[in-house]
């Protein structure tokens, strides 16, 4: 069975490892290319977008794909929309690993906003020390709030030509633990955190640390993300694929 995994997440890496060890599958992992030094993978890997729905359709047909697993980031809405449209056009099976969002706890102080631009506005006029934990793509949105001092944690250095004037980049890759996150927030005298609701465990420690330190979080809401057959883990994705391989009880 020829499978395309749309990746860039911990779930995609875990699924790639399982697929690589199963002879029933001939799988390819596709990465968008936003990280120049991605984690090594056991599967054949292609890097770079498909360009459009038509580009993905062309790839699926040329490679004679049987199934796609969308394991992209919860905020990669456009890629997921393209996957839904391309699989509909080609008749290729589509399973989507949907990572559950974090849920606000009783002691959490969250303000939910729709975009990074709205998060910048929500910081207010009084200068604050702000921890930005939302990836490198949206840092330019905070140019509109230059009065704040920013600490932005990213896997790689941002590439935007313009950034807020008082910003320092901390390059690091998760997972992180609560104690180290609490120490970072305390040492840097952070007043507020800006985060995307990525879900999962790799970066949840900052939310736990914020709760412990009684720090507010400006949470950027998830976009509407189209999906195929909804799956909740790499293990569910493997079981779903197994059921659709030639010769399986439900795949014949």
């Amino acid at each position: 069975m020829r499978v395309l995994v749309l990746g860039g997440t911990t779930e995609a890496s875990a699924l790639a490892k399982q697929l690589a060890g199963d002879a029933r599958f001939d799988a390819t992992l596709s990465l968008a290319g936003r990280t120049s030094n991605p984690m090594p993978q056991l599967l054949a890997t292609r890097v770079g977008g498909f360009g459009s729905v038509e580009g993905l359709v062309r790839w699926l047909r040329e490679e004679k794909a049987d199934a796609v697993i969308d394991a992209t980031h919860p905020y990669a809405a456009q890629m997921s929309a393209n996957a839904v449209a391309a699989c509909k056009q080609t008749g290729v099976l589509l399973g989507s690993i949907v990572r559950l969002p974090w849920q606000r706890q009783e002691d959490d102080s969250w303000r939910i906003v729709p975009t990074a631009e709205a998060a910048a506005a929500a910081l207010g006029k009084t200068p604050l020390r702000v921890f930005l934990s939302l990836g490198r793509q949206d840092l330019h949105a905070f140019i509109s709030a230059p009065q704040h001092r920013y600490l932005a944690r990213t896997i790689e250095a941002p590439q935007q030509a313009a950034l807020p004037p008082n910003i320092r980049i901390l390059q690091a890759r998760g997972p992180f633990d609560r104690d180290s996150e609490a120490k970072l927030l305390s040492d840097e005298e952070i007043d507020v955190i800006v985060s995307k609701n990525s879900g999962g465990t790799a970066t949840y420690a900052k939310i736990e640390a914020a709760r412990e330190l009684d720090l507010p979080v400006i949470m950027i809401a998830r976009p509407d993300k189209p999906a195929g057959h909804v799956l909740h883990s790499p293990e569910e994705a493997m079981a779903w694929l197994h059921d659709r391989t030639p010769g399986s009880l439900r795949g014949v």
Side-chain angles (χ1 to χ4, degrees):
M1 187 179 195
R2 297 179 67 83
V3 180
L4 173 66
V5 179
L6 302 175
T9 60
T10 54
E11 291 88 350
S13 295
L15 178 60
K17 185 176 181 180
Q18 294 181 50
L19 286 168
D22 194 322
R24 287 173 289 187
F25 300 104
D26 178 6
T28 299
L29 175 65
S30 177
L31 302 176
R34 290 185 176 179
T35 301
S36 63
N37 187 27
M39 298 292 288
Q41 302 290 338
L42 297 175
L43 282 185
T45 303
R46 67 175 302 280
V47 178
F50 295 92
S52 61
V53 173
E54 289 72 22
L56 181 53
V57 166
R58 184 166 53 252
W59 192 95
L60 294 174
R61 286 174 173 162
E62 289 177 353
E63 298 297 324
K64 297 180 173 58
D66 299 300
V68 173
I69 298 294
D70 179 5
T72 55
H73 192 272
Y75 287 75
Q78 186 59 60
M79 185 65 250
S80 294
N82 289 354
V84 169
C87 288
K88 183 177 181 180
Q89 286 188 38
T90 57
V92 171
L93 298 169
L94 174 63
S96 302
I97 298 180
V98 178
R99 187 190 299 171
L100 295 176
W102 298 321
Q103 298 297 320
R104 178 163 35 192
Q105 304 299 309
E106 182 178 355
D107 295 332
D108 289 332
S109 176
W110 290 7
R111 179 173 177 180
I112 300 174
V113 297
T115 64
E117 289 75 14
L123 290 170
K125 296 182 178 180
T126 302
L128 299 171
R129 296 182 69 90
V130 183
F131 181 48
L132 298 178
S133 180
L134 65 161
R136 62 176 178 162
Q137 302 295 324
D138 295 312
L139 297 181
H140 63 279
F142 295 87
I143 293 173
S144 63
Q147 68 273 28
H148 306 297
R149 298 184 67 85
Y150 297 100
L151 175 65
R153 183 166 64 197
T154 63
I155 295 176
E156 293 190 351
Q159 297 177 331
Q160 295 97 321
L163 292 171
N166 298 313
I167 189 169
R168 179 158 59 90
I169 305 300
L170 173 63
Q171 288 184 235
R173 188 194 298 265
F176 306 100
D177 64 79
R178 184 178 63 181
D179 290 344
S180 64
E181 293 288 74
K183 184 177 187 304
L184 174 67
L185 297 172
S186 296
D187 290 350
E188 297 290 340
E189 299 179 337
I190 296 299
D191 297 306
V192 59
I193 296 170
V194 178
S195 174
K196 290 180 176 178
N197 193 337
S198 299
T201 60
T203 63
Y204 184 64
K206 66 175 179 255
I207 304 300
E208 295 178 311
R211 186 182 305 137
E212 178 182 323
L213 298 172
D214 198 25
L215 290 178
V217 177
I218 297 176
M219 189 71 76
I220 300 172
R222 290 187 178 189
D224 292 331
K225 195 168 187 282
H229 181 82
V230 174
L231 307 160
H232 292 110
S233 68
E235 291 72 26
E236 278 192 28
M238 284 297 292
W240 185 76
L241 289 170
H242 282 159
D243 288 344
R244 284 148 185 84
T245 56
S248 70
L249 290 177
R250 281 178 282 180
V252 293

